[in-house]
Amino acid sequence: AVVSTQSTGVYQHEFEELGPGPDGKVTGTQAKKPMQDSKLPNTTLKRIWNLGDIDKDGKLDVREFAIIKHLMKLKLEGHELPVTVPKVWLESLDIDDADTRR
């Protein structure tokens, strides 16, 4: 399932609430609470983080955060996690990076 436009807006708002740094990213520490709020097991959350941190820099930009939130939603709905993030998800994320930079 592609990340919907409606969900993208919600995820972007949540991302902004976390207070991204000057680089437009949130740290693992900042993302930890919203991830743990899902009540998914830590092993699952670690797998979701590894999938969502596309550039493997230990931080999340708004697109990566949206992917992580979408993966958590899918898992909570009983779906299996993909082995890799489908390219179509990245293409479907219509997020203006300029909005996340201060």
Side-chain angles (χ1 to χ4, degrees):
V2 173
V3 185
S4 73
T5 304
Q6 183 179 2
S7 293
T8 300
V10 172
Y11 300 154
Q12 188 167 4
H13 178 75
E14 287 182 40
F15 180 81
E16 293 296 331
E17 294 281 303
L18 293 175
D23 60 356
K25 298 186 175 196
V26 295
T27 65
T29 305
Q30 288 172 292
K32 189 175 181 177
K33 181 171 180 0
M35 290 183 74
Q36 288 180 328
D37 287 348
S38 70
K39 305 287 189 239
L40 288 167
N42 283 338
T43 52
T44 302
L45 292 176
K46 183 173 175 140
R47 189 159 164 232
I48 288 172
W49 175 275
N50 289 335
L51 281 168
D53 185 14
I54 305 292
D55 59 8
K56 307 297 180 215
D57 67 351
K59 295 180 179 181
L60 302 176
D61 65 22
V62 66
R63 283 186 179 86
E64 292 169 325
F65 182 77
I67 287 167
I68 280 179
K69 292 293 288 190
H70 189 63
L71 288 167
M72 290 190 308
K73 179 176 180 272
L74 289 177
K75 191 64 180 166
L76 289 167
E77 290 173 351
H79 301 284
E80 287 301 313
L81 293 172
V83 176
T84 60
V85 173
K87 194 171 267 189
V88 68
W89 288 12
L90 298 171
E91 293 164 357
S92 74
L93 287 171
D94 185 24
I95 297 172
D96 182 0
D97 282 332
D99 289 350
T100 64
R101 308 217 187 250
R102 296 189 207 289

